[in-house]
Amino acid sequence: MASQNMDPAAAAASTTAALKGSESGGNCALLSVGPKRCLVSAFMSVAPEVYEGLRYRLSLEFPAGYPYQAPRVKFVTPCFHPNVDDQGFICLDILKDKWSALYDVRSILLSIQSLLGEPNNESPLNTVAAELWEDQEGEKAVILTRHHFQMC
């Protein structure tokens, strides 16, 4: 679904409808929409299970040049992951040099879901998370501790 002629808010709304109950195991809800920004709550089933059952909020900010320029996407909910920094910014090629106007919000969310399960440890934003990645129990303990305290 190309979003070249679609308002970012409309693209996000149609995407949330498409992801509810999708085969990817994702489920998301559009929390708020502004002229160039939307807030999405996403529940993503990913492998490995370190993130299973966790719900994340992501902020998507659409530049004036959208869809020809990538939106700025970040986790609002803290996410302890090798490719997510302390401010929630995500290192993902399709949000940078591999962006195409053919990508829509659904493509972005599915790519983030994939990244959660298969991080790029060769280029981490969070080196501590990258080092812990091989120890899934240790990684999960840190994730649950940080996620729990931030959600309370």
Side-chain angles (χ1 to χ4, degrees):
M1 137 167 100
S3 55
Q4 293 172 335
N5 296 320
M6 192 179 289
D7 172 20
S14 68
T15 297
T16 58
L19 284 177
K20 285 185 187 256
S22 72
E23 291 177 15
S24 69
N27 189 354
C28 66
L30 193 58
L31 298 178
S32 67
V33 178
K36 294 183 180 179
R37 184 169 188 240
C38 66
L39 184 63
V40 176
S41 175
F43 175 78
M44 298 181 253
S45 296
V46 294
E49 292 119 15
V50 294
Y51 299 99
E52 189 174 351
L54 300 180
R55 182 174 302 273
Y56 289 98
R57 289 189 177 169
L58 296 120
S59 169
L60 291 82
E61 292 183 26
F62 299 91
Y66 179 82
Y68 302 104
Q69 293 177 323
R72 185 173 145 179
V73 182
K74 68 180 265 185
F75 281 92
V76 175
T77 307
C79 180
F80 185 75
H81 186 273
N83 303 116
V84 179
D85 71 13
D86 289 338
Q87 288 79 42
F89 291 104
I90 305 162
C91 181
L92 184 61
D93 60 354
I94 70 161
L95 296 176
K96 308 231 182 305
D97 58 325
K98 302 287 186 194
W99 176 255
S100 166
L102 297 176
Y103 291 136
D104 58 9
V105 176
R106 181 177 186 274
S107 302
I108 295 167
L109 294 177
L110 289 173
S111 294
I112 292 170
Q113 179 180 10
S114 177
L115 182 70
L116 286 176
E118 298 177 23
N120 178 1
N121 278 336
E122 293 179 20
S123 178
L125 288 177
N126 182 335
T127 56
V128 174
E131 290 169 6
L132 270 176
W133 187 255
E134 296 304 318
D135 174 16
Q136 292 290 295
E137 288 185 29
E139 181 95 5
K140 186 168 187 168
V142 172
I143 290 167
L144 292 177
T145 300
R146 290 184 182 208
H147 197 275
H148 173 73
F149 285 120
Q150 295 296 325
M151 297 302 289
C152 293

